[in-house]
Amino acid sequence: MAKIAIISPSSQLTVVVESLLVERDLPVILAQASEATAVIIARRLIENGIEILISRGKTAELLRESVQIPVIEIRHTFLDCFNAYQKARSYADNVAFLATSQAYVKVLSKALPFLKGASICTIDPFDKTESISSVFEQLSKNNINVVIGGLSLQNLAITYGMHYVMSEADPDSIDDAMSEALHFLKIESDKQRKNLELKKRYEMIDAILNCVSEGLLSIDAKLKITNINAFATRYLTPVESGEEISHPILRNYFSNVLQSGQTISGVLIETGRYSLSVNISPVMLHDSIVGAVASIQNQSEIKKIEQKMRLRHSETHIADKTFKDIIGNSPALLSAKHLAEKYAGVESTVMIEGETGTGKELFAQSIHNASARSSGPFVAINCASFAASVIESELFGYVKGAFTGALQEGKVGVFELAHGGTIFLDEISELSIDIQLKLLRTLQERKIIRIGDNKIIPVDIRIITASNKNLVRLIEQGKFREDFYYRICVLRLALPSLQQRQADIPSLVMHLLRVLGHGDLSISNVVLHKLSQREWPGNIRQLSNIVERLIVVAENNIVDEAMLDDVLADVAPVLISNDYQPDSNREFPDEKHLLMNALKQVRGNRQQAAKLLGISGTTLWRKIKKYQDSDPTFFETLKYREYDALS
């Protein structure tokens, strides 16, 4: 698209310009117009995208006064004055140049000594007709018969009987004007491009300043604001870019930074509406402080962000069990369930005691979901699943570089993950004395410190603990802190063993069948009765394993007594004792022998052994470790290479 237009005031000029445009193959618009119509045409051209105009003489002067874009003049030269003079002298000796522009007057004044018999007559073609006519009348009185001028005065000169010679432009002058226009266009284009780049840069900076969730502002060495985003404007209203910092405390902090060159971090400022945390750093240029930049955070917003981050981390920690999922109507179970429902209505710490497989986590989840914290996270951790050197980092988390092997980005501990909800610490008896002491402080203050950090993090949590060991006996043995026990055992919930709720076994069996996707399996009352009369040291977990085996061996979707006898024949007659013994000191005989037999049957596979024994994999590992520590030859007696991995 053409950006340059030439407005020619004469037909002779138009012819020369057309020739040059063809020769140079330039995208330039050419229009011929008198001084009277030049401005109208120029404005139309500008509306259509023209950025530079070229014209001559009075027309060029007029355009400069009337439009807001550059106007380049095709300059008068000595050569075009001399050529016109030579043509005029062919008609008469006395010649007058009609000079309609100051530029033309200047050139003619310099050329006049070489133009014998020539004179200069200054005339404004836009004067009143009477004034212009008086000029021609005076020329006639002076015996001037030939005049040289532009298109606008041609008709009037002929009226007075004068020969009229059109002033012709020097082609080189036209060529120079077009070259100048092209150069000017390039400069303007570069300027527009730089302005656009600068505008984009400022827009980018502005977008960056306003996309962050904190206030940002910068000042110069005179404490005047140079940049400020929307958040900072809101916090420090009224304040705008270009103004001086008015808040006295903030102004004082900025002054200190400008003078000292030292960064200020985490200072608190009250504005009346907001409590702000401010960080200020100096801006250096060639070792000189030229200003400072500040980040401003609203304390309430910081708390909201922390809550969102904690919630994001805890999205996968959800309790999906409720009291409706606790199956059974035996008096022992209903009593425990009723007490747990009461506990759900308060915030106190709960200790759940019971043998392995009695449903301690099921009760913990149910308490959480029936409490005011049901919308918060439920974070469960088995304290026996981690080595003593690892459990602290799991509980409290750590910062980047806290210790060798730490994750590059650090780690959030379970107490932070449970913020706003419930944390369930299973097998609490397995915690070392040192960790118990640290947990005691956390329970008292509801605050934690990540490993490798000095920042105190408040946590809003409810704590539920569980144990399958007699903690009072452990206190007597010096293996459990008494003060810690009383802190976690504010509310005590003892879960009955399956032996204490045999009446629930039929309904539990049918429930387990439905959970395992075999609710249509037919089991006779004889089978259910036989299952109810059997001892279940592994409690519901052991019962679940037996039900799963019955599903596998069932013929035509039916389980009869013979099938049950076959399944029970593969089960050790007496299983491993649970460590939790709240009501008696009973010990199941020859625990080590049973453990070895189970491992032999499954050729050292821990998962299968745990399933066979009706206990958890964690409990099995703990038993194995106990015997291995006391008897290094424990696994050698089994004579299976697979057992080596267990040690």
Side-chain angles (χ1 to χ4, degrees):
M1 185 174 127
K3 302 285 186 180
I4 301 173
I6 299 175
I7 297 180
S8 170
S10 71
S11 57
Q12 287 92 340
L13 178 62
T14 301
V15 172
V16 179
V17 170
E18 284 178 340
S19 176
L20 286 173
L21 290 178
V22 172
E23 182 180 328
R24 296 187 61 174
D25 190 24
L26 296 175
V28 176
I29 293 175
L30 175 61
Q32 185 173 311
S34 65
E35 288 91 340
T37 59
V39 174
I40 296 173
I41 292 174
R43 286 173 176 165
R44 289 175 183 171
L45 290 169
I46 293 170
E47 288 176 358
N48 291 320
I50 291 300
E51 297 178 5
I52 299 176
L53 291 172
I54 300 174
S55 194
R56 181 175 168 87
K58 187 66 178 180
T59 304
E61 284 186 2
L62 182 63
L63 291 174
R64 284 198 182 105
E65 296 172 356
S66 305
V67 299
Q68 300 300 315
I69 66 171
V71 178
I72 295 173
E73 185 178 0
I74 300 173
R75 295 177 180 85
H76 292 274
T77 66
F78 172 80
L79 186 58
D80 62 50
C81 293
F82 186 76
N83 288 337
Y85 168 77
Q86 289 284 75
K87 188 181 290 187
R89 285 288 295 240
S90 66
Y91 296 108
D93 292 335
N94 296 327
V95 176
F97 284 90
L98 303 178
T100 58
S101 68
Q102 291 301 315
Y104 198 12
V105 170
K106 288 180 181 180
V107 173
L108 287 171
S109 298
K110 293 178 181 180
L112 204 58
F114 303 95
L115 307 175
K116 185 180 179 181
S119 61
I120 302 171
C121 178
T122 303
I123 187 170
D124 186 349
F126 292 102
D127 264 354
K128 295 179 180 179
T129 304
E130 300 82 26
S131 299
I132 297 173
S133 297
S134 65
V135 172
F136 277 95
E137 289 173 0
Q138 187 62 45
L139 289 172
S140 295
K141 290 178 182 179
N142 294 337
N143 296 318
I144 302 297
N145 297 320
V146 181
V147 292
I148 301 170
L151 181 64
S152 61
L153 298 172
Q154 181 179 15
N155 292 334
L156 193 57
I158 293 173
T159 301
Y160 279 88
M162 298 176 181
H163 288 288
Y164 195 82
V165 176
M166 194 73 69
S167 175
E168 296 181 4
D170 182 357
D172 289 339
S173 181
I174 300 171
D175 195 59
D176 288 344
M178 287 193 291
S179 296
E180 185 179 349
L182 290 171
H183 179 66
F184 204 104
L185 184 64
K186 182 178 183 302
I187 293 173
E188 285 295 309
S189 178
D190 290 344
K191 189 185 297 182
Q192 289 177 8
R193 189 185 73 253
K194 289 179 181 178
N195 287 340
L196 181 61
E197 290 175 356
L198 191 60
K199 183 181 178 182
K200 287 181 179 178
R201 189 176 302 172
Y202 278 120
E203 288 177 349
M204 180 68 73
I205 293 172
D206 188 62
I208 292 171
L209 289 174
N210 286 290
C211 77
V212 296
S213 58
E214 59 186 286
L216 295 175
L217 72 109
S218 60
I219 57 137
D220 60 19
K222 296 181 180 180
L223 293 172
K224 286 189 176 181
I225 298 172
T226 54
N227 291 286
I228 185 167
N229 71 353
F231 281 102
T233 302
R234 181 194 307 168
Y235 298 150
L236 302 174
T237 300
V239 65
E240 294 181 358
S241 184
E243 297 180 354
E244 287 190 16
I245 293 291
S246 57
H247 192 282
I249 299 178
L250 184 58
R251 182 185 178 90
N252 185 50
Y253 280 127
F254 266 121
S255 297
N256 290 340
V257 171
L258 291 176
Q259 292 173 11
S260 67
Q262 300 296 315
T263 296
I264 293 177
S265 300
V267 296
L268 296 178
I269 294 176
E270 299 292 336
T271 66
R273 294 177 60 198
Y274 301 103
S275 177
L276 305 175
S277 174
V278 180
N279 302 313
I280 306 176
S281 298
V283 177
M284 309 293 293
L285 181 63
H286 303 307
D287 297 327
S288 298
I289 302 173
V290 296
V293 61
S295 64
I296 304 172
Q297 291 181 294
N298 186 353
Q299 290 291 297
S300 61
E301 292 297 326
I302 294 174
K303 292 179 181 178
K304 289 179 182 178
I305 292 171
E306 286 182 348
Q307 289 173 349
K308 288 181 180 178
M309 292 300 294
R310 283 167 167 169
L311 180 60
R312 186 177 304 145
H313 280 300
S314 62
E315 283 176 351
T316 57
H317 299 283
I318 299 172
D320 57 357
K321 302 299 182 182
T322 68
F323 285 117
K324 292 181 179 179
D325 296 303
I326 300 174
I327 306 301
N329 292 296
S330 63
L333 180 68
L334 291 178
S335 176
K337 188 175 178 180
H338 178 68
L339 188 59
E341 288 172 339
K342 282 189 173 183
Y343 290 170
V346 295
E347 287 282 294
S348 303
T349 301
V350 179
M351 160 62 74
I352 302 177
E353 297 175 332
E355 297 178 2
T356 297
T358 52
K360 293 186 286 296
E361 183 167 352
L362 172 60
F363 269 83
Q365 289 193 25
S366 299
I367 291 171
H368 169 79
N369 280 327
S371 74
R373 295 177 175 268
S374 59
S375 60
F378 176 87
V379 183
I381 182 171
N382 190 309
C383 300
S385 300
F386 300 94
S389 59
V390 176
I391 188 66
E392 183 178 0
S393 64
E394 291 294 323
L395 292 172
F396 303 110
Y398 54 82
V399 295
K400 176 182 177 181
F403 51 83
T404 302
L407 295 176
Q408 188 69 18
E409 65 277 12
K411 184 176 180 180
V412 178
V414 294
F415 277 100
E416 285 186 76
L417 292 177
H419 181 74
T422 303
I423 185 169
F424 175 55
L425 302 176
D426 197 7
E427 299 202 54
I428 193 78
S429 60
E430 302 306 309
L431 292 176
S432 68
I433 296 295
D434 290 341
I435 298 298
Q436 291 177 34
L437 178 59
K438 291 182 179 180
L439 276 178
L440 179 62
R441 292 173 181 167
T442 299
L443 295 179
Q444 289 172 339
E445 301 173 6
R446 290 299 195 269
K447 297 175 182 177
I448 63 103
I449 299 176
R450 291 188 185 182
I451 298 174
D453 200 3
N454 57 8
K455 178 184 176 183
I456 297 175
I457 303 173
V459 287
D460 173 23
I461 51 173
R462 182 184 191 177
I463 298 176
I464 300 177
T465 64
S467 177
N468 60 0
K469 289 185 177 180
N470 191 317
L471 296 182
V472 174
R473 185 180 302 171
L474 292 179
I475 292 172
E476 294 171 353
Q477 297 171 359
K479 296 179 180 179
F480 205 82
R481 291 182 63 96
E482 186 174 8
D483 52 357
F484 182 55
Y485 172 78
Y486 289 121
R487 178 63 64 178
I488 62 176
C489 194
V490 178
L491 302 177
R492 179 176 176 271
L493 179 65
L495 300 186
S497 66
L498 192 55
Q499 200 65 33
Q500 295 171 296
R501 42 179 297 212
Q502 287 180 317
D504 293 333
I505 290 178
S507 57
L508 281 170
V509 171
M510 302 312 296
H511 171 73
L512 291 169
L513 287 174
R514 288 192 296 272
V515 170
L516 295 170
H518 291 271
D520 58 343
L521 190 68
S522 176
I523 297 183
S524 67
N525 290 331
V526 174
V527 171
L528 291 175
H529 177 73
K530 201 165 187 176
L531 287 170
S532 300
Q533 297 304 308
R534 185 178 176 83
E535 289 191 3
W536 299 99
N539 293 292
I540 299 172
R541 189 173 294 139
Q542 183 188 8
L543 177 64
S544 176
N545 293 340
I546 296 300
V547 171
E548 191 170 345
R549 293 183 203 177
L550 291 174
I551 292 171
V552 174
V553 301
E555 295 286 349
N556 299 320
N557 217 29
I558 296 174
V559 173
D560 57 25
E561 188 176 0
M563 293 176 187
L564 176 63
D565 291 339
D566 290 340
V567 167
L568 295 179
D570 292 335
V571 180
V574 182
L575 298 180
I576 294 177
S577 164
N578 289 283
D579 291 306
Y580 175 68
Q581 300 161 2
D583 301 318
S584 70
N585 293 321
R586 64 190 177 98
E587 292 283 354
F588 289 98
D590 202 8
E591 181 181 277
K592 179 178 177 181
H593 177 71
L594 290 172
L595 180 62
M596 292 175 64
N597 282 343
L599 287 167
K600 283 181 179 180
Q601 288 184 46
V602 296
R603 299 187 62 80
N605 187 301
R606 279 186 293 173
Q607 278 190 325
Q608 292 182 16
K611 199 169 185 178
L612 179 66
L613 295 168
I615 60 177
S616 69
T618 303
T619 300
L620 175 65
W621 178 86
R622 192 170 61 251
K623 301 290 185 185
I624 292 172
K625 190 72 169 59
K626 180 176 73 174
Y627 290 117
Q628 179 69 2
D629 289 343
S630 61
D631 180 10
T633 64
F634 175 61
F635 287 111
E636 293 180 10
T637 60
L638 300 179
K639 296 181 181 180
Y640 285 112
R641 184 175 298 175
E642 293 88 341
Y643 300 154
D644 294 343
L646 298 174
S647 62

